[in-house]
Amino acid sequence: MKLKGTQILLEVLKEENADIIFGYPGGTVLDIYDQLYKSDLKHILVRHEQGAVHAADGYARATGKVGVCLVTSGPGATNTVTGIATANMDSIPLVVFTGQVPTSLIGNDAFQECDITGITRPCTKHNFLVRNIEELASTIKEAFHIARSGRPGPVLVDLPKDVMATQTDYDPANIKFRNYEVAHKPAPKKMANVFDMLQAAKKPLIMTGGGVILGKASEELTHLSRKYQIPVTGTLMGLGSFPGSDGLWLGMLGMHGTYYANMAISHCDFLLAVGVRFDDRVTGTIETFAANAKIVHIDIDPSSINKNVTVDLPIIGDTKATLKDLLRFLEEHHYAQDAVSRKTWLDEIDEWREKVPLTYCQNDEIIKPQYVIETLHKLTKGDALITTEVGQNQMWTAQFFQFDRPNSFISSGGLGTMGFGLPAAIGVKCAFPDKHVVDIAGDGSIQMNIQELATAAQYNIAVKIVLLNNGYLGMVRQWQELFYEKRYSHTDMTYAPDFVKLAEAFGIIGLRATKPSEVETVLKQGLSVHKPVLMDFRVSREECVYPMVRPGESISQMTLGSREIIN
Amino acid sequence: MEKKAHVISILVHNKPDVLARIAGTLGGKGYNIDSLCVNTTTQNDISKIVMTTAGSQATVTRIENQLQRLVDVISVDDLTNVESIYREMVLVRLNLTTQNSETVKKAIDMNKWKVIVSGDKYVIVEITGDKTQIDFSLARLEPLGITDITRTGLIALKLED
Ligand SMILES: Cc1ncc(C[n+]2csc(CCOP(=O)(O)OP(=O)(O)O)c2C)c(N)n1
Ligand SMILES: [Mg+2]
């Protein structure tokens, strides 16, 4: 069958089960858009290409599928870079199609030409420039395969206009591409090692990360913890991989982790770290991180091993398959924890939990941001898909919304991209139209991709924005308060639009709460309508995120606002 | 940790920008490439890159891991830890003058350097060997007045798989 490049693109997308594209047209992709016009493939027209990538990213994080975007060459392509880098840092599978000038013009500084494969080389898992029509189908297939295999990541495919206009024979049964899937290799010796370490341990701890969610290994991890009564802490990216309502859950660790999680890390004698990369926001000073523990590190990417923290036993492998192997080994060899020592350990943790719980003070006058999040959790019974922006809003969400399911906390962890939450929520809502999808936002961040309210309005994508409006770039202000003697250099955001009017101008619903007594009403009202809603919560302006580990300190030394706890 | 030179042999799919990917990955993460040699193997679509870099064992392991992550990289081998042979080639041009031509010719005979081109005004010699041999020859060539020099990077081959 003879098909044009543009037709082949849509055919392969269908084969790859891509059911939605987030995109923005332009000169070099006019032909592709013309083909889309004749096709029934769903396309969401965003208002900025960065929004397209974040939306595809949100879609991918919520579904575990590959997210797809389509943009034009030059500025369309460069506008995707922040989105691609965001996905790359968090290992999110995306395929980003960029238009390119015709091959005969490449290298001539043609109108809207830019070397996007060169620009994105360091922030993609891989990228391609399709040089001729014969390579097109196999390249697209390979791009999807690379995006989702091994440690996932974004792949960019640059499509010159002339290649897409050329015809060639297309035979879906006969597309050849390289296979990168590495077969899982069981490591029985290592399992025996883990067995011995676990047997010797009196204070075992599991640390779960984004790799558990990406590897769809939550069930195995949860089973391991519950069966052998091993408490669990997690990184930001790991939230939801273990039920937040479970008594064995200690909350997030690290800079804004719970006191008890950080104390458990500091005191444990065995740490099973799964799908994590020991980011510096998590470890505090490396020398004191889990200093008393034998550390086992399971990760699919060898380059994550011994990168930041030197571990006693690295196991390179798929998190799900490896945890299955481990569970089987422990069962077959009749591992049973020593009930007495395990109880002592869990009691010790509970003492820390009681000594310094996660808490805040809500009065009658001023809305506390944490209260808004807790109320949102209460009203949705936790059954919501939550995206966040970056800053205090993100940390409070991580602390105060209990995530019970994987793929329900969607946040830019590695890159920390302000402006991620709204377009990501749009992507999530496209995948789950019947679920509550809420962007917990900051007033600074929301203004970075506010134009996507128009996208939500156009397609009636009923995302809900819970704006924790403190009139500050709050997280930066917090650092200025703590480390720069309150010199609030360029962090005051009081000059901002009237968000309710702004929402209305975009054709969505705007609501506001200024008193604690209004919080529940506004949330209920916002959640109940099938339209996009922006809820502007005027929160306590100088609230800080606590507890906190100061940069360069051990995670056992936490600052708790006025009370200092040093151990 | 002790820093030393490592010779890394990398098999790659011979894609247009594979070299840029490798150089970019290392440069972007702050690692130095001291020398680099690239060419195809017996298979046209597979190239071998031999690269030297200096660093502690931990740093070099990190480099290997970063390279392994690249989609076009097939394998990465640190030859420093296995028995291998090393070769490098140097081309040197020496200008001939009435004063030096006798000394130069004598030195060439004595050291058994291979002359590739010899004219009235200059002579070009080729030296091939491992690092010690090259250093030895260069020390003797230098006083003769080198006017131009080109060195390949180091290439290496494992004795056994
Ligand atoms: C694109 C981008 N620019 C700058 C930063 C640095 N930064 C991190 S948090 C933050 C403040 C965010 O303010 P806001 O969205 O109001 O959230 P808050 O901390 O007040 O909840 C800034 C500027 C960033 N993370 N991303
Ligand atoms: Mg703010």
Side-chain angles (χ1 to χ4, degrees):
Chain A
M1 173 173 48
K2 271 222 182 300
L3 290 184
K4 271 206 315 191
T6 53
Q7 292 170 308
I8 292 176
L9 169 63
L10 298 195
E11 282 302 315
V12 182
L13 285 179
K14 215 185 293 167
E15 267 194 42
E16 291 294 327
N17 294 320
D19 40 29
I20 190 163
I21 301 182
F22 300 91
Y24 206 91
T28 53
V29 288
L30 266 167
D31 292 348
I32 300 174
Y33 270 87
D34 191 51
Q35 202 61 49
L36 267 177
Y37 192 79
K38 302 168 200 159
S39 140
D40 53 8
L41 187 58
K42 193 164 170 191
H43 176 277
I44 300 289
L45 175 67
V46 295
R47 296 303 189 266
H48 185 297
E49 290 87 350
Q50 184 187 347
V53 187
H54 290 328
D57 179 324
Y59 176 89
R61 290 185 205 230
T63 59
K65 292 170 65 173
V66 179
V68 183
C69 324
L70 170 62
V71 303
T72 193
S73 65
T78 54
N79 269 350
T80 64
V81 173
T82 301
I84 293 174
T86 303
N88 195 49
M89 284 292 270
D90 291 344
S91 308
I92 305 304
L94 296 184
V95 176
V96 178
F97 294 101
T98 50
Q100 183 53 281
V101 299
T103 44
S104 58
L105 294 182
I106 291 180
N108 281 10
D109 292 335
F111 177 63
Q112 294 195 331
E113 177 190 355
C114 106
D115 175 15
I116 195 63
T117 47
I119 289 174
T120 58
R121 216 174 274 137
C123 65
T124 48
K125 183 173 175 190
H126 195 61
N127 60 26
F128 296 96
L129 167 62
V130 181
R131 285 162 199 275
N132 61 65
I133 184 73
E134 277 68 42
E135 302 172 353
L136 180 65
S138 61
T139 303
I140 301 171
K141 279 247 170 210
E142 194 171 335
F144 274 87
H145 174 67
I146 292 171
R148 64 177 154 237
S149 62
R151 177 176 178 170
V155 179
L156 181 139
V157 185
D158 204 15
L159 303 170
K161 190 169 176 156
D162 56 328
V163 172
M164 301 310 284
T166 316
Q167 279 202 338
T168 192
D169 275 321
Y170 174 71
D171 174 8
N174 205 9
I175 303 174
K176 293 198 179 63
F177 64 91
R178 266 190 278 150
N179 183 16
Y180 303 95
E181 206 66 78
V182 188
H184 175 68
K185 281 197 245 56
K189 260 205 203 116
K190 294 201 168 182
M191 295 303 142
N193 277 344
V194 181
F195 183 95
D196 292 342
M197 288 181 184
L198 204 49
Q199 193 116 57
K202 296 211 152 50
K203 303 177 172 192
L205 182 66
I206 295 173
M207 171 178 169
T208 176
V212 173
I213 293 172
L214 292 165
K216 305 183 171 69
S218 295
E219 211 184 299
E220 288 75 11
L221 186 115
T222 306
H223 186 59
L224 178 71
S225 156
R226 285 180 175 162
K227 182 157 185 197
Y228 301 115
Q229 292 294 296
I230 308 171
V232 185
T233 176
T235 66
L236 184 76
M237 298 310 294
L239 295 181
S241 60
F242 184 81
S245 53
D246 194 300
L248 288 164
W249 174 245
L250 309 184
M252 184 169 75
L253 78 159
M255 181 171 277
H256 290 297
T258 63
Y259 172 74
Y260 35 102
N262 284 351
M263 292 306 281
I265 284 279
S266 305
H267 289 259
C268 69
D269 60 2
F270 170 82
L271 182 65
L272 178 67
V274 192
V276 303
R277 58 187 179 90
F278 298 109
D279 182 280
D280 52 278
R281 282 284 186 273
V282 162
T283 58
T285 45
I286 292 284
E287 300 74 41
T288 56
F289 180 81
N292 305 313
K294 289 253 181 265
I295 306 179
V296 176
H297 185 192
I298 302 175
D299 203 88
I300 197 161
D301 180 3
S303 75
S304 294
I305 305 276
N306 290 339
K307 185 172 66 175
N308 302 328
V309 170
T310 311
V311 302
D312 298 281
L313 178 67
I315 305 177
I316 295 161
D318 174 66
T319 47
K320 187 181 185 82
T322 308
L323 285 175
K324 272 199 167 140
D325 290 349
L326 179 59
L327 279 165
R328 200 175 311 119
F329 193 96
L330 294 178
E331 206 159 302
E332 278 169 8
H333 294 79
H334 310 290
Y335 168 75
Q337 71 272 24
D338 169 42
V340 178
S341 77
R342 193 57 48 88
K343 183 169 183 311
T344 316
W345 172 225
L346 292 175
D347 285 348
E348 192 177 354
I349 290 174
D350 280 341
E351 269 169 44
W352 290 320
R353 206 195 294 254
E354 268 157 49
K355 185 167 159 198
V356 187
L358 261 188
T359 175
Y360 63 95
C361 243
Q362 178 62 65
N363 57 30
D364 293 341
E365 308 295 317
I366 307 164
I367 303 174
K368 287 295 172 83
Q370 302 94 325
Y371 172 68
V372 178
I373 295 169
E374 277 194 343
T375 312
L376 176 68
H377 184 269
K378 186 182 85 181
L379 293 176
T380 57
K381 301 188 183 66
D383 189 15
L385 300 170
I386 305 290
T387 71
T388 75
E389 302 291 346
V390 170
Q392 295 181 313
N393 57 84
Q394 180 183 35
M395 290 301 121
W396 283 319
T397 306
Q399 291 179 333
F400 289 93
F401 197 99
Q402 247 173 29
F403 293 95
D404 274 337
R405 274 172 296 274
N407 311 91
S408 61
F409 172 71
I410 288 157
S411 190
S412 166
L415 200 65
T417 307
M418 290 170 69
F420 172 81
L422 172 57
I426 289 175
V428 175
K429 186 73 182 176
C430 287
F432 294 101
D434 300 328
K435 287 242 178 224
H436 287 304
V437 177
V438 184
D439 172 28
I440 298 181
D443 48 315
S445 302
I446 195 71
Q447 294 185 65
M448 285 217 174
N449 273 317
I450 192 81
Q451 75 287 346
E452 299 309 329
L453 288 181
T455 311
Q458 178 183 344
Y459 300 93
N460 195 27
I461 302 168
V463 293
K464 307 296 155 75
I465 297 146
V466 167
L467 178 59
L468 304 176
N469 188 348
N470 52 14
Y472 276 118
L473 298 174
M475 187 55 95
V476 184
R477 186 209 59 76
Q478 174 168 345
W479 283 53
Q480 289 170 336
E481 175 185 331
L482 298 176
F483 312 125
Y484 295 88
E485 288 142 356
K486 295 201 176 191
R487 288 187 300 277
Y488 294 162
S489 178
H490 301 278
T491 42
D492 192 316
M493 280 264 134
T494 23
Y495 192 89
D498 177 328
F499 285 103
V500 171
K501 282 191 186 153
L502 187 69
E504 285 162 0
F506 273 108
I508 71 164
I509 296 169
L511 302 171
R512 177 170 292 133
T514 53
K515 291 199 289 287
S517 58
E518 297 164 351
V519 168
E520 193 161 328
T521 328
V522 164
L523 278 172
K524 272 187 183 155
Q525 202 181 337
L527 288 170
S528 65
V529 288
H530 288 287
K531 285 191 89 181
V533 183
L534 190 155
M535 293 162 256
D536 180 16
F537 294 93
R538 296 304 179 87
V539 298
S540 167
R541 290 204 67 201
E542 299 200 13
E543 186 76 12
C544 284
V545 182
Y546 287 121
M548 177 176 191
V549 178
R550 290 165 188 259
E553 272 181 15
S554 158
I555 61 167
S556 64
Q557 293 180 296
M558 301 202 81
T559 305
L560 308 160
S562 51
R563 289 186 298 156
E564 292 281 317
I565 292 258
I566 306 217
N567 280 285
Chain B
M1 247 181 282
E2 192 201 352
K3 258 193 164 191
K4 68 175 216 188
H6 286 253
V7 180
I8 299 174
S9 171
I10 313 160
L11 273 189
V12 298
H13 291 284
N14 191 10
K15 290 291 161 77
D17 46 5
V18 64
L19 200 56
R21 284 182 205 282
I22 287 178
T25 301
L26 298 184
K29 310 248 178 212
Y31 304 122
N32 246 340
I33 300 174
D34 295 323
S35 85
L36 192 73
C37 267
V38 197
N39 220 322
T40 50
T41 57
T42 48
Q43 279 167 276
N44 263 338
D45 54 348
I46 293 183
S47 287
K48 189 187 263 183
I49 297 175
V50 177
M51 179 186 102
T52 59
T53 183
S56 65
Q57 186 57 51
T59 308
V60 173
T61 305
R62 228 170 282 151
I63 290 178
E64 286 180 68
N65 285 335
Q66 290 296 345
L67 292 175
Q68 285 287 11
R69 276 179 75 174
L70 297 177
V71 162
D72 284 333
V73 168
I74 301 164
S75 67
V76 183
D77 230 346
D78 185 353
L79 298 185
T80 324
N81 305 326
V82 293
E83 253 195 295
S84 312
I85 52 149
Y86 300 98
R87 283 292 178 276
E88 189 176 349
M89 186 194 277
V90 186
L91 296 177
V92 173
R93 190 174 67 232
L94 302 164
N95 276 5
L96 298 178
T97 60
T98 41
Q99 286 94 334
N100 79 352
S101 73
E102 272 312 302
T103 340
V104 169
K105 279 178 186 151
K106 244 190 226 154
I108 291 176
D109 286 344
M110 232 173 71
N111 291 291
K112 299 200 172 65
W113 287 327
K114 186 169 168 189
V115 175
I116 305 191
V117 190
S118 122
D120 295 344
K121 298 217 172 82
Y122 61 85
V123 55
I124 294 181
V125 296
E126 172 199 310
I127 298 147
T128 307
D130 61 16
K131 190 174 173 340
T132 340
Q133 290 162 322
I134 302 264
D135 286 348
F136 182 87
S137 292
L138 283 181
R140 269 148 197 80
L141 276 160
E142 227 141 295
L144 301 175
I146 297 175
T147 46
D148 204 358
I149 181 167
T150 299
R151 301 174 70 150
T152 65
L154 196 68
I155 58 167
L157 198 65
K158 272 196 290 191
L159 294 196
E160 285 167 44
D161 271 321

